[in-house]
Amino acid sequence: MYTQALNTRDLQPVQKEDPERLARFQAKIDAEQKIEPNDWMPEAYRRTLIRQIAQHAHSEIVGMLPEGNWITRAPSLRRKATLLAKVQDEAGHGLYLYAAAETLGVSREELVDQLLAGTAKYSSIFNYPTLTWADIGAIGWLVDGAAIMNQVPLQRCSYGPYARAMVRICKEESFHQRQGYEIMLTLCRGTLEQKAMAQDALDRFWWPALMMFGPSDKDSVHTAQAMAWKIKRFTNDELRQKFVDATVPQAHYLGLTIPDPDLRFNEATGHWEFGEIDWQEFQEVLRGNGPCNRQRMKQRRQAHTEGAWVREAAAAYAEKRKARAAAA
Amino acid sequence: MSEKPMPLWEVFVRARNGTAHRHCGSVHAPDAEMALQAARDLFTRRGEGVSLWVVPSSAIVASDPAEKDMLFEPTASKIYRHPTFYEIPEEVGHM
């Protein structure tokens, strides 16, 4: 999802780095050695990673909202238990990632503040509504599927703590995609109305899922540095193509139609060619004008404010016990 | 204005009896008891462990990466610390 932060420009002034240290740093990366928290790193590398990991963490946290919407209305106890487990995983992924970002010298509280103030972003995909139960299937299948395409190469990211967090996340994520596809499969084998619901969910989530990979390579000039630093391993278009190639046959198995009249298989290249993405819609969602941007931010702020007393009470209790232990 | 940071804890999980506790990540929590609960929820949702340690991150003393060569490089030349350095005739058998 989750590398959209790598497409944005670093607005901080470029700091002059010691060329010798810089060369040694790059040589280490070129030799596929990991960078660990206390190692020297250029300021721009640190800033890029903080922004990227934080946006990834925020995406996991905000990503709980569209799915959480259906927990109380899941069609069976089995579906409810699995959705609950999935949403809990997303919270866990957010926490692994905040912890990884913190190793770069930023606190979780600061990062949460940036999200709530709107200065930090989360993935564009979570600004779309989940209108029917089939959307939960489509999200697991498409959104988590796209996330996996992005996250698998991140396991080899040059920054150790981020790479290690991604290993755990990828292990857990494959259950997410399978539970989504199973929901779609069940709907597609059900009544005509149920199959129509699955088709409708695919229609609404297909293009936003493709947008998750970020702007087309010809428009994303900032990825070159991220690739040189081995934060990113594949370009946006490469990952998007992999996703389309993997997903189209899965849709056919379901008996569903991808909502793209230009979609066709190229025998020569072995790839599925697809139509032009509506980049204006993508830009609007990034600017905060997607269908649910305001609602998501409002819900996050509300949850944060309403949970403040819990954090305060926990801190007060810890203080009290510490004072008692000291007095005893 | 940020809230006061919650203390950070390093989490170690023993996968099963007979293995050592291994570092697997960190959690924020106001005290040790809540750190254990958070670690349990975060790191052992799929049977990953049978025992947990949480240690205040501030209690960990780390070696300085800048001193890496001074600390660890000298061992590279001391190959006589490895069994393969010594030549034992084949007739002697496994040793």
Side-chain angles (χ1 to χ4, degrees), chain A residues 310-328:
Chain A
V310 179
R311 296 188 294 277
E312 282 163 23
Y317 180 68
E319 279 304 317
K320 188 177 84 178
R321 296 231 300 186
K322 213 192 285 174
R324 268 199 202 146

Side-chain angles (χ1 to χ4, degrees), chain A residues 20-53:
Chain A
E20 203 181 305
R21 285 183 126 175
L22 212 52
R24 238 182 298 148
F25 175 81
Q26 191 61 49
K28 225 168 135 180
I29 287 187
D30 293 343
E32 295 292 336
Q33 288 182 34
K34 298 287 182 211
I35 308 300
E36 293 294 342
N38 294 331
D39 294 344
W40 184 86
M41 62 187 87
E43 268 317 298
Y45 177 84
R46 185 185 298 275
R47 273 202 309 271
T48 303
L49 270 171
I50 290 177
R51 199 176 62 230
Q52 160 58 27
I53 301 173

Side-chain angles (χ1 to χ4, degrees), chain B residues 45-62:
Chain B
R45 289 198 304 280
R46 290 177 171 83
E48 291 95 332
V50 294
S51 166
L52 277 172
W53 287 351
V54 291
V55 178
S57 304
S58 57
I60 288 182
V61 181

Side-chain angles (χ1 to χ4, degrees), chain A residues 89 102 109 113 311 321, chain B residues 2-3 28 33 45-46:
Chain A
D89 275 355
E102 283 187 302
E109 287 78 5
D113 281 353
R311 296 188 294 277
R321 296 231 300 186
Chain B
S2 294
E3 288 181 15
H28 283 279
E33 195 186 334
R45 289 198 304 280
R46 290 177 171 83

Side-chain angles (χ1 to χ4, degrees), chain A residues 227-259:
Chain A
M227 302 265 289
W229 278 333
K230 299 199 174 164
I231 296 174
K232 212 175 156 133
R233 296 274 178 168
F234 297 98
T235 69
N236 297 349
D237 286 338
E238 283 167 352
L239 290 169
R240 192 167 9 241
Q241 185 64 55
K242 272 186 190 218
F243 173 73
V244 172
D245 289 340
T247 311
V248 171
Q250 295 166 356
H252 290 164
Y253 183 82
L254 293 172
L256 297 179
T257 310
I258 302 272

Side-chain angles (χ1 to χ4, degrees), chain B:
Chain B
M1 175 62 202
S2 294
E3 288 181 15
K4 194 166 157 257
M6 229 180 242
L8 190 65
W9 306 76
E10 297 308 313
V11 180
F12 298 80
V13 177
R14 186 204 292 284
R16 57 185 183 281
N17 276 15
T19 62
H21 286 78
R22 266 185 74 172
H23 183 246
C24 67
S26 19
V27 291
H28 283 279
D31 65 19
E33 195 186 334
M34 284 184 260
L36 270 180
Q37 286 167 356
R40 180 255 174 213
D41 286 348
L42 196 54
F43 293 107
T44 60
R45 289 198 304 280
R46 290 177 171 83
E48 291 95 332
V50 294
S51 166
L52 277 172
W53 287 351
V54 291
V55 178
S57 304
S58 57
I60 288 182
V61 181
S63 63
D64 183 349
E67 291 177 0
K68 191 177 74 169
D69 288 351
M70 190 186 76
L71 289 171
F72 308 114
E73 200 279 326
T75 63
S77 59
K78 297 180 174 59
I79 51 169
Y80 47 83
R81 290 186 172 175
H82 297 280
T84 46
F85 178 75
Y86 302 93
E87 278 179 34
I88 303 289
E90 227 169 86
E91 302 91 281
V92 177
H94 177 72
M95 184 179 283

